[in-house]
């Protein structure tokens, strides 16, 4: 078998497979057949399926980060930049649904968390943390590291919940069976975007009001 870069060919095939199989990762033997190499050739690059998953995750997080970079411009307004990031999170889930599911559904043991994995997977959340500090500075309010990290995690978890539930169809089903207002079913992307805009503003207002309340005491 002659190929310029066997490892890249294997990663290309693995990524193509998960894109067309609802985010499910191919077996190493299946991967060898897909690329046309022997199983031993696959094991030369990936010791086991966890190693393959790790390599694919790193590749997808790079795609994820490039997507953010193309959608989130540095405007000097941290409120606006935070909203851009949250909207980009939703748009990525719509444009790359299998990759989105794979990134957040397949877990790896902590010992696989190399410096490269941590850096590439945390780049966006680190940016959110920085923006929350910048928002406090914009309004000349004091905040602690713990408060900002907690706010960062709340924004991420609530945003992920909105996006995941909407994409699964569960929100639409709940609204339909409870006879709630049709707009709440989030059947249109514009409705989801509006909810995210409201969510981000509520989070920012709550965070700033909490800081203002502490500064008075």
């Amino acid at each position: 078998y002659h190929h310029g870069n066997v490892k890249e060919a294997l990663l290309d095939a693995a990524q193509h497979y998960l894109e067309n199989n609802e985010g499910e990762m191919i077996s190493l033997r299946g991967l060898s057949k897909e690329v046309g190499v022997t199983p031993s050739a696959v094991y030369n690059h990936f010791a086991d399926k966890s190693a393959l998953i790790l390599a694919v995750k790193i590749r997808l997080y790079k795609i994820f980060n490039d997507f953010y970079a193309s959608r989130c411009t540095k405007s000097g307004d941290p409120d606006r930049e935070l909203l851009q990031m949250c909207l980009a999170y939703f748009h990525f889930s719509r444009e790359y649904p299998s990759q989105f599911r794979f990134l957040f559904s397949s877990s790896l043991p902590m010992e696989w968390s190399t410096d490269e994995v941590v850096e590439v997977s945390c780049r966006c959340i680190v940016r959110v943390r920085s923006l929350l500090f910048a928002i406090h500075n914009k309004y000349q309010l004091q905040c602690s590291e713990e408060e900002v990290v907690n706010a960062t995690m709340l924004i991420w978890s609530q945003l992920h919940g909105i996006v995941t539930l909407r994409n699964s169809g569960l929100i639409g089903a709940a609204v339909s069976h409870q006879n709630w207002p049709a707009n709440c079913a989030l059947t249109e992307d514009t409705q989801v975007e509006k909810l995210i805009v409201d969510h981000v503003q509520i989070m920012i207002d709550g965070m700033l009001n909490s800081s203002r309340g502490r500064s008075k005491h």
Side-chain angles (χ1 to χ4, degrees), residues 65 67-85 123-124 126-128 130-131 134:
N65 292 331
F67 185 88
Y68 269 92
S70 69
R71 296 296 185 97
C72 305
T73 57
K74 292 188 177 181
S75 63
D77 183 352
D79 304 60
R80 185 168 183 267
E81 290 181 31
L82 177 61
L83 176 58
Q84 281 185 330
M85 290 197 71
R123 193 177 302 168
C124 288
V126 167
R127 177 66 180 150
V128 171
S130 297
L131 288 173

Side-chain angles (χ1 to χ4, degrees), residues 33-56:
K33 292 180 181 179
E34 188 73 22
V35 178
V37 298
T38 63
S40 61
V42 177
Y43 285 103
N44 285 336
H45 298 283
F46 307 109
D48 53 28
K49 192 169 182 177
S50 290
L52 173 64
I53 290 174
L54 180 66
V56 173

Side-chain angles (χ1 to χ4, degrees), residues 8 10-20 22-26 52-69 92-93 95-106 108 116-117 119-124:
E8 286 303 308
L10 293 169
L11 288 174
D12 287 343
Q15 182 178 337
H16 179 75
Y17 183 88
L18 74 87
E19 287 171 358
N20 292 279
E22 297 296 320
E24 178 187 344
M25 181 47 63
I26 191 172
L52 173 64
I53 290 174
L54 180 66
V56 173
K57 272 182 172 284
I58 290 173
R59 173 184 274 212
L60 293 184
Y61 270 119
K62 289 177 180 177
I63 294 173
F64 188 65
N65 292 331
D66 288 344
F67 185 88
Y68 269 92
F92 183 88
S93 79
E95 294 185 32
Y96 302 93
S98 294
Q99 292 93 323
F100 183 83
R101 285 192 295 271
F102 182 75
L103 282 175
F104 296 105
S105 64
S106 57
L108 290 168
E116 181 184 14
V117 175
E119 191 282 326
V120 74
S121 64
C122 293
R123 193 177 302 168
C124 288

Side-chain angles (χ1 to χ4, degrees), residues 152-162:
T152 300
M153 300 306 288
L154 280 172
I155 288 173
W156 183 19
S157 59
Q158 292 180 15
L159 173 65
H160 187 75
I162 291 170

Side-chain angles (χ1 to χ4, degrees), residues 122-140:
C122 293
R123 193 177 302 168
C124 288
I125 201 68
V126 167
R127 177 66 180 150
V128 171
R129 171 190 168 278
S130 297
L131 288 173
L132 292 182
F133 271 115
I135 290 171
H136 277 88
N137 290 334
K138 174 182 175 180
Y139 295 99
Q140 299 181 328

Side-chain angles (χ1 to χ4, degrees), residues 4 10 15 22 36 42 62 82-83 86-87 91 104 106 114 126 146 163 168 171-172 182 189 211 214 216-217:
L10 293 169
Q15 182 178 337
E22 297 296 320
V42 177
K62 289 177 180 177
L82 177 61
L83 176 58
C86 292
L87 289 172
H91 293 151
F104 296 105
S106 57
T114 63
V126 167
E146 182 178 357
V163 169
S168 72
I171 289 179
D189 284 358
S211 296
R214 285 192 303 276
K216 293 179 180 178
H217 297 289

